[in-house]
Every structure is written in C-alpha cells, then in structure tokens.
Amino acid sequence: MAFLYNRTSFYIVLGLIILAGIGVTQSLVSDPIVFLQTIAGFVLIAAVIFFIVNRFYKANPMKQEQRSFHKAAKQSKKRFQTKSQPLTSKRSSVGSISAARKKKKDAPHLTVIEGKKGKKKNRASF
C-alpha cells in the first residue's frame, strides 16, 4: 500500500510541476514586463528575509561558541599532524638534529596534582 501511495504522490507532484511550468511560460509570453516585475519582487522579498534571519543568527551567542570550538579543533588537529609527520623531512642539517634531540616533548593532556611529595612510601622489602 505504501508503494502505491508513493507512486500517486509522485504523479501529483509531477502534475503540479508541469502546471507551474505551463503557467510561467504563459505569463512570460503574454506579459513579460509584469513577469519580470513579479520575479524581481520575489527576489527582493527573499533578500530582505535572508538578511534579517542572517542578522539574528549572528547575534546568537551559541554561534560564537561554535566558532571558538571549531578554531580550537583546527589548532589541535594541526598540532597533532605536525607531530606525527616523519622527522627526516624536517631535518635538513646537522644543527637541526641536535636541536631536535634537546627539545623536550610536552604532554598537554597531563596535569600536575599536588600531593605529599616529602613523605616516603613505606615499602616492604623482599
């Protein structure tokens, strides 16, 4: 039954599109100036609605947060891509090799937790 419904709705939509095409063609042939004025009015109204919606959408603070999130994601992706590239392509001279060895790797995902550093652990000796 659903297949029959989809088939009939397809024919209804196709018939409406054909009738709209005939109406537009008839309007264009009979009075092209009125047709162009109507089209220009539709375009003008659509542009005004677009700019109003766009203005209110930019004022939404959630959009600024999304923009910040996307910017941070791009920076993170860029940082991890540069670390995963082979080091042979970056090293062109002997000086850069020694500088690369001296460079300390950082782990931005780790944090330091303050605790009792002076107290030794009581370990059983075996």
Side-chain angles (χ1 to χ4, degrees):
M1 188 71 174
F3 177 75
L4 183 62
Y5 177 73
N6 288 339
R7 183 177 241 183
T8 55
S9 64
F10 171 76
Y11 287 130
I12 290 172
V13 170
L14 184 65
L16 288 174
I17 291 173
I18 290 172
L19 287 174
I22 291 171
V24 166
T25 305
Q26 189 269 337
S27 173
L28 183 62
V29 170
S30 66
D31 201 0
I33 304 244
V34 173
F35 175 75
L36 293 177
Q37 286 177 346
T38 306
I39 295 296
F42 285 143
V43 169
L44 183 66
I45 291 171
V48 167
I49 291 172
F50 173 77
F51 285 121
I52 289 173
V53 169
N54 200 13
R55 172 115 174 136
F56 284 122
Y57 185 66
K58 281 186 178 181
N60 190 358
M62 291 296 289
K63 186 171 182 181
Q64 182 64 28
E65 290 176 9
Q66 286 292 329
R67 191 178 304 147
S68 300
F69 173 76
H70 286 295
K71 184 178 178 184
K74 282 182 185 179
Q75 287 176 350
S76 177
K77 187 175 181 182
K78 186 177 178 183
R79 183 178 64 208
F80 285 118
Q81 281 179 350
T82 57
K83 285 184 180 180
S84 65
Q85 290 178 349
L87 296 175
T88 56
S89 64
K90 290 182 179 179
R91 296 179 184 170
S92 60
S93 65
V94 178
S96 65
I97 293 172
S98 63
R101 287 183 184 163
K102 291 179 184 177
K103 186 177 180 182
K104 182 181 174 185
K105 288 187 176 182
D106 59 4
H109 60 280
L110 300 176
T111 57
V112 175
I113 299 173
E114 297 295 327
K116 298 178 184 177
K117 296 179 181 139
K119 185 178 178 182
K120 291 189 174 185
K121 292 181 180 178
N122 188 7
R123 296 185 181 185
S125 59
F126 293 104

